[in-house]
Amino acid sequence: MERNVGVISEKQVIGNCDRLSRFIGGKNALVAQGGGQRGIFTAGVLDAFNLSNFDPFDVYYGTSAGALNLCSFLCRQQGLGKAFITDLTTDSSFFNLFSYIRKKQYVDLSWALDRIVEYPYRLDLDMGRQVLGERQAYAAVTSSDKLIDHYLPIIQPNWRDVLLATCAIPTLCPQPIDVAGHAYVDGGISASIPVQEAWRQGARFIAVIRTESIEGDEIELQSAPLTSAPNEAWLRQSLNYLQTQWQQKVTQWRQDWSGYLRQKMLLAPREERLNGGRWLFGAEHLYRMSHLIGGSVDTRLADMLMVHYQTYALTLEFLKRPPDDVFVIQIAPEQPLRSNTLLSRKSDLLLDYEQGLEAGYNFIRSWEAARIQCGQPLETSKSGLLE
């Protein structure tokens, strides 16, 4: 039985492009996962796209660092996403661990966004709007009250607030971000990889840029035997509906969840990450960081962690066995990245960037092979600006 999934890394391409070729003539989506400084891999992938004049996508979705990288890509500023991470997020003005512990000085994304629009970076938002045209690009955010995912347009007049909101990590940011009268926190809580939203909105080919190796998912997309497909009606239920049901159970789960989390922090060996960096710091780091500044994992943070685990489990299931009407390719590092989610060494960041570049070129090779196979003329850009 043919499968409508695939994985591309810096070391592998899609071997058989026949099934892929059947899906790329419709609505194509690009999805970018967050991951803090591990977004340097995403920056490499997108720079490969820009350097190759490659942009066949109709819609874009990004979470946290993924949304930041998409901005650089859509503004056609090759190298800007890389510079944002290697220059600005490594600066002590962005984050200083000792100041965070002693003075509760939080991550200052606002400072970084102020810098990125100035010399020598000069984020070109006008170019981004021109490139988008009638297409759409969204950042995933989480409503602060209901912990449900929302998707806000980026590269709009309120672009700065939207990017602050999608990156508003609990314990690392002082408060939720107000956007048009609504309070939002980090999109990674409810939609760390917003691939289901892309599918719900009609995308039938979805490229997902990951900042984790597929090994960490405990699924084998290339060789695992197929089990029975999930019920189509279940797949088509909105995550919003599922999250509403979880909200009704939050009170009864809070005590058990908080105790379970603390036990895991004490007993789990270092290599068994609860969250693998899907948030900026990962669940175990959120727990420890809150204690460093004299706080604790209160019921609100426990709720966020619970929702994150539930939604992420659904996302992994979707990536493993998507519905029959969509083809999903994950662009992911072959092995875990050297970079950390924060406080990475620049040498590690540069190595991970090079891996992202090569993975991006491998994706383009697979795409071109699929287009040739289905007899379509090569089309590298839907913006009309790169051809």
Side-chain angles (χ1 to χ4, degrees), residues 29-142:
L30 179 62
V31 174
Q33 184 182 13
Q37 290 178 339
R38 289 174 180 162
I40 194 69
F41 178 84
T42 303
V45 173
L46 295 177
D47 275 354
F49 290 1
N50 262 335
L51 289 167
S52 304
N53 294 341
F54 180 82
D55 182 9
F57 304 104
D58 302 283
V59 64
Y60 311 83
Y61 295 90
T63 299
S64 192
L68 292 166
N69 273 312
L70 284 176
C71 279
S72 301
F73 171 66
L74 291 169
C75 293
R76 297 301 187 243
Q77 291 175 277
Q78 184 267 327
L80 187 62
K82 174 186 177 184
F84 186 90
I85 294 174
T86 58
D87 295 354
L88 300 182
T89 70
T90 60
D91 193 295
S92 60
S93 296
F94 178 76
F95 182 72
N96 183 283
L97 181 60
F98 297 106
S99 295
Y100 177 78
I101 296 171
R102 292 179 302 180
K103 304 176 184 178
K104 295 187 180 180
Q105 290 184 355
Y106 296 92
V107 165
D108 197 348
L109 181 63
S110 182
W111 168 84
L113 293 179
D114 287 342
R115 289 291 311 279
I116 204 67
V117 297
E118 299 173 349
Y119 178 84
Y121 308 107
R122 296 189 184 281
L123 179 67
D124 192 348
L125 293 167
D126 290 335
M127 174 60 76
R129 297 184 187 102
Q130 186 179 355
V131 166
L132 268 180
E134 298 299 318
R135 299 180 296 169
Q136 297 293 327
Y138 300 96
V141 296
T142 302

Side-chain angles (χ1 to χ4, degrees), residues 90-346:
T90 60
D91 193 295
S92 60
S93 296
F94 178 76
F95 182 72
N96 183 283
L97 181 60
F98 297 106
S99 295
Y100 177 78
I101 296 171
R102 292 179 302 180
K103 304 176 184 178
K104 295 187 180 180
Q105 290 184 355
Y106 296 92
V107 165
D108 197 348
L109 181 63
S110 182
W111 168 84
L113 293 179
D114 287 342
R115 289 291 311 279
I116 204 67
V117 297
E118 299 173 349
Y119 178 84
Y121 308 107
R122 296 189 184 281
L123 179 67
D124 192 348
L125 293 167
D126 290 335
M127 174 60 76
R129 297 184 187 102
Q130 186 179 355
V131 166
L132 268 180
E134 298 299 318
R135 299 180 296 169
Q136 297 293 327
Y138 300 96
V141 296
T142 302
S143 61
S144 178
D145 53 350
K146 296 183 179 180
L147 302 182
I148 291 175
D149 55 314
H150 295 268
Y151 302 89
L152 306 181
I154 55 178
I155 317 186
Q156 298 298 318
N158 66 343
W159 67 275
R160 195 174 181 279
D161 291 339
V162 171
L163 292 181
L164 287 172
T166 192
C167 298
I169 316 296
T171 77
L172 293 177
C173 294
Q175 59 191 12
I177 304 299
D178 182 274
V179 181
H182 299 279
Y184 298 107
V185 291
D186 175 35
I189 296 170
S190 58
S192 54
I193 308 174
V195 59
Q196 293 105 317
E197 177 66 12
W199 171 69
R200 286 195 296 263
Q201 298 303 321
R204 291 303 172 255
F205 170 79
I206 306 174
V208 179
I209 306 176
R210 299 288 301 276
T211 52
E212 316 168 276
S213 66
I214 305 302
E215 290 179 350
D217 294 343
E218 297 180 355
I219 56 174
E220 297 181 16
L221 296 179
Q222 296 289 350
S223 59
L226 279 174
T227 59
S228 58
N231 182 274
E232 189 74 12
W234 177 85
L235 277 171
R236 290 188 179 275
Q237 289 185 68
S238 167
L239 279 178
N240 290 352
Y241 170 78
L242 294 173
Q243 290 167 338
T244 299
Q245 302 305 303
W246 294 331
Q247 288 291 320
Q248 298 173 2
K249 298 181 179 180
V250 161
T251 300
Q252 71 185 66
W253 285 350
R254 277 176 173 165
Q255 185 174 359
D256 290 341
W257 173 257
S258 183
Y260 165 78
L261 180 63
R262 286 175 173 81
Q263 184 180 29
K264 291 293 287 185
M265 298 311 138
L266 293 173
L267 300 180
R270 182 175 180 81
E271 63 270 16
E272 292 183 8
R273 302 287 185 176
L274 274 179
N275 199 21
R278 291 160 198 140
W279 273 1
L280 184 60
F281 259 99
E284 82 281 10
H285 289 305
L286 287 172
Y287 176 85
R288 291 168 183 154
M289 295 298 282
S290 66
H291 277 275
L292 283 174
I293 61 173
S296 62
V297 179
D298 58 18
T299 55
R300 189 61 178 164
L301 182 56
D303 293 346
M304 292 179 182
L305 294 170
M306 179 174 62
V307 169
H308 169 74
Y309 288 132
Q310 296 282 3
T311 56
Y312 195 78
L314 289 175
T315 298
L316 291 187
E317 183 64 25
F318 186 97
L319 290 170
K320 184 180 180 181
R321 286 184 291 272
D324 291 338
D325 62 351
V326 62
F327 196 102
V328 177
I329 285 184
Q330 297 185 68
I331 308 171
E334 190 79 12
Q335 301 293 330
L337 296 173
R338 291 174 178 253
S339 305
N340 300 313
T341 48
L342 201 56
L343 304 174
S344 303
R345 295 185 299 179
K346 285 193 177 182

